[in-house]
Amino acid sequence: EMGERMSPPFGKRLVRNPVNYFNSSLAGGSRMCELINEYDWERHPLGAIQEWPISLHTLVSFILNCPFASCICWGKEALYMIYNDEYMRALPHYHRTSAIGEKVTKIWPHLKDSVLDWAKSVFNNETVSHPSLQLFFEYTKDFPEEVSISFSYSPIRDDEGHINGFLCTSIDNTPQFIRERRLQTLNSLSNIITTQYTQEQVCNLALETLKANTCDLPFTCIYLLDKHQLSSSFIRVSP
C-alpha cells in the first residue's frame, strides 16, 4: 500500500534539489507548480516526471495555467491527484498541499462511492457532469462551511490511446446556490400569505415551509402579536 511507505502528512516528500520540469514563471508563480517540481515522484507509483507519458505531462502543464479549478486523477486503479492552485483553494485547508499524489478516494472519503461510480462512467468513455454538488468543508475549527460546486469529469488518454484517468474541472457556485435556495423559501412563504387561510393554517404552513430549509434556518419559532403589539404568544417551534 502506497500510504504505508510514505511519511506524513499524506506523503509529502521533497527533493533536495528539484528540477524545474514545470516552469512556475509561465504559470504565474503557481504554488502548485513549485510543489509538483519539489515532490519526490521517483518514489511514487507514477514514477519520475521525465518518465511520465507525454499526454500526462502536457495536461499537467495545461491545468497549471488554467484559471479554473482543475484536478487530474491519473491511474485507472488508483486515481492519483495532480491539481492546480484554484483547485487547491477548493480543498479543505488540511489537504490543500498534502493531497498531491494521493488517491482521490483518500482525500474525499465521504464521496468515495460517488467518485468511483463517476470514474467507472469516465472509463467507459463518458463525460460526467453535476450542476450543483453540496459539500460541507471544515475550513475552521469552530464550524463547517457550506460549499456548492459544479463540476465535470472528462476522460483523458495515455500515449497509447487508452483512457487512464480523468480531468475534473469545477466552479464554485456557492453564493448563487445559497441565494436561489433562500429565494425559493421566500417565494413559498409569499404564496402562503397571498392565499386565504386561517391564522392557524398560515402558521402551520409557514413552519413547514421553513422546516424545508434547515441549512439557512436550523430552527424556527413562530410568535403572534396582538394588534397593538403589546404582547405576543408562542405558537410553535421547528424542528
Side-chain angles (χ1 to χ4, degrees):
E1 179 71 17
M2 174 188 136
E4 296 177 355
R5 304 198 309 268
M6 298 167 62
S7 58
F10 282 91
K12 183 179 180 181
R13 299 177 304 223
L14 303 181
V15 180
R16 182 169 298 176
N17 297 304
V19 178
N20 194 25
Y21 289 105
F22 297 101
N23 193 326
S24 59
S25 61
L26 294 179
S30 164
R31 173 61 176 150
M32 286 310 304
C33 184
E34 296 175 2
L35 291 175
I36 292 172
N37 284 327
E38 293 171 354
Y39 194 89
D40 186 6
W41 293 104
E42 291 186 2
R43 295 173 54 203
H44 189 279
L46 291 182
I49 291 180
Q50 62 268 32
E51 298 174 359
W52 287 1
I54 296 175
S55 56
L56 176 58
H57 197 286
T58 301
L59 196 56
V60 171
S61 298
F62 168 77
I63 68 168
L64 289 174
N65 292 276
C66 181
F68 300 107
S70 304
C71 176
I72 298 169
C73 292
W74 188 263
K76 192 170 184 179
E77 301 301 326
L79 299 174
Y80 297 114
M81 297 174 62
I82 304 173
Y83 47 94
N84 63 4
D85 287 46
E86 292 300 321
Y87 190 91
M88 176 181 66
R89 298 184 186 100
L91 287 168
H93 68 90
Y94 44 82
H95 283 326
R96 288 184 175 173
T97 58
S98 61
I100 182 173
E102 285 294 337
K103 298 178 181 179
V104 65
T105 52
K106 188 174 182 179
I107 301 303
W108 301 106
H110 56 298
L111 294 174
K112 179 178 180 179
D113 292 339
S114 296
V115 169
L116 292 178
D117 286 342
W118 298 329
K120 183 178 180 180
S121 297
V122 170
F123 285 112
N124 286 327
N125 200 26
E126 301 175 17
T127 297
V128 177
S129 62
H130 202 296
S132 184
L133 178 65
Q134 189 179 23
L135 304 171
F136 285 91
F137 293 155
E138 193 175 345
Y139 283 125
T140 70
K141 296 180 180 179
D142 299 324
F143 61 91
E145 182 178 356
E146 180 181 9
V147 176
S148 175
I149 61 171
S150 300
F151 71 91
S152 66
Y153 282 9
S154 303
I156 50 179
R157 300 177 182 274
D158 57 23
D159 294 350
E160 285 71 43
H162 305 299
I163 297 175
N164 199 34
F166 59 82
L167 172 65
C168 174
T169 305
S170 60
I171 298 176
D172 185 344
N173 60 2
T174 305
Q176 177 185 353
F177 179 82
I178 293 176
R179 182 169 58 250
E180 291 177 353
R181 183 180 64 210
R182 292 174 178 174
L183 283 174
Q184 183 178 2
T185 299
L186 292 175
N187 288 335
S188 299
L189 286 174
S190 65
N191 291 333
I192 296 173
I193 297 173
T194 56
T195 306
Q196 292 184 350
Y197 290 113
T198 66
Q199 186 179 75
E200 182 180 0
Q201 287 175 328
V202 169
C203 291
N204 290 335
L205 289 172
L207 195 64
E208 292 302 315
T209 299
L210 297 174
K211 281 174 60 178
N213 187 1
T214 56
C215 290
D216 294 316
L217 301 164
F219 69 92
T220 304
C221 295
I222 294 183
Y223 291 85
L224 289 180
L225 301 176
D226 65 18
K227 62 181 180 180
H228 301 296
Q229 297 187 1
L230 298 177
S231 63
S232 63
S233 56
F234 175 71
I235 303 300
R236 288 184 62 186
V237 63
S238 170

